[in-house]
Amino acid sequence: MTSRSEQTRNRIYQAALDEFARYGVAGARVDRIAREAQANKQAIYLYFGDKETLFATVLKRSLGDLAAAVPPPTADGEVDVTDYLDRLFTYHQNHPEVTRLLLWEALEFTDQTVPDEESRRAHYQQKAADLNSVRSAESEQISAIDAPTLLLIFTGLVGWPMAVPQVRRMIVGDDEGALERVKASVIAAAVAIAGQK
């Protein structure tokens, strides 16, 4: 692939990311993506296929970027739960489009298999296993939470304040330190739930 075509693909990707985060699959328009990317529609179809395939590609790359930027906790202590949640929260804070894409996916693929579901399932299972290797079970209540559910709880703790910023604003305020207070509380709650000190 030439450098020029790679630049075109990257412009299309960025324009599609913005479009899908704003409008979802159904509301997104290939014409707008082409215009924003300064590319023609034929290039979009050539490089990415139809609109649904483009959405799947955008979501997969966004989640891949997230996974690369925020590796899960490790048993060797390189990454602990506190560090993981801190970086996960910060990543979502700086990349709100990831949460939006996942919300659109939830709305538009409710009763069907989502794009790339099997590999994403395997990725989440590995993250749950990694998380399980670093948590301690000092009480019966903590040990009763299986690792996949613990991962889901962590994802919810981080994702929900980003998914509903208006609710977050109404509950904790919108002063300069509000989001930092939420972040600190999310980390403290996650550490307590994981049974870490």
Side-chain angles (χ1 to χ4, degrees), residues 13 21 34-35 42 45 53 74-75 78 93 99 104 113 142 152-153 163 168 170 174-175 186 188 192:
Y13 167 78
R35 186 173 56 250
Q42 289 75 21
Y45 294 123
T53 304
T74 56
E78 261 185 54
Q93 182 180 352
T99 300
W104 281 116
T113 302
I142 292 169
L152 183 63
I153 290 168
R168 182 186 75 222
M170 289 183 274
D174 62 353
D175 58 278
V186 163

Side-chain angles (χ1 to χ4, degrees), residues 17-158:
L17 174 64
D18 296 342
E19 181 79 4
F20 288 129
R22 186 172 186 153
Y23 299 106
V25 179
R29 297 291 173 258
V30 175
D31 289 340
R32 281 193 301 248
I33 294 170
R35 186 173 56 250
E36 286 300 314
Q38 298 175 351
N40 61 47
K41 286 171 60 173
Q42 289 75 21
I44 294 172
Y45 294 123
L46 173 69
Y47 292 137
F48 297 100
D50 62 17
K51 187 168 66 166
E52 288 75 19
T53 304
L54 177 57
F55 176 79
T57 301
V58 166
L59 182 57
K60 182 177 182 175
R61 182 168 158 185
S62 297
L63 293 175
D65 291 347
L66 167 60
V70 187
T74 56
D76 63 12
E78 261 185 54
V79 178
D80 66 8
V81 171
T82 301
D83 181 53
Y84 172 65
L85 267 291
D86 180 53
R87 288 181 303 105
L88 186 62
F89 193 98
T90 300
Y91 190 91
H92 280 284
Q93 182 180 352
N94 294 332
H95 299 89
E97 68 278 2
V98 176
T99 300
R100 290 185 193 131
L101 291 172
L102 288 169
L103 290 170
W104 281 116
E105 180 186 57
L107 290 169
E108 299 192 33
F109 293 90
T110 304
D111 297 326
Q112 53 187 306
T113 302
V114 299
D116 202 31
E117 185 163 328
E118 283 308 309
S119 67
R120 285 171 60 190
R121 181 188 314 272
H123 170 75
Y124 289 132
Q125 288 172 345
Q126 182 59 55
K127 281 178 75 169
D130 292 341
L131 185 59
N132 195 48
S133 73
V134 299
R135 73 181 183 148
S136 59
E138 296 178 0
S139 74
E140 194 174 309
Q141 291 84 3
I142 292 169
S143 63
I145 304 172
D146 63 72
T149 303
L150 186 62
L151 178 61
L152 183 63
I153 290 168
F154 284 4
T155 303
L157 285 170
V158 169

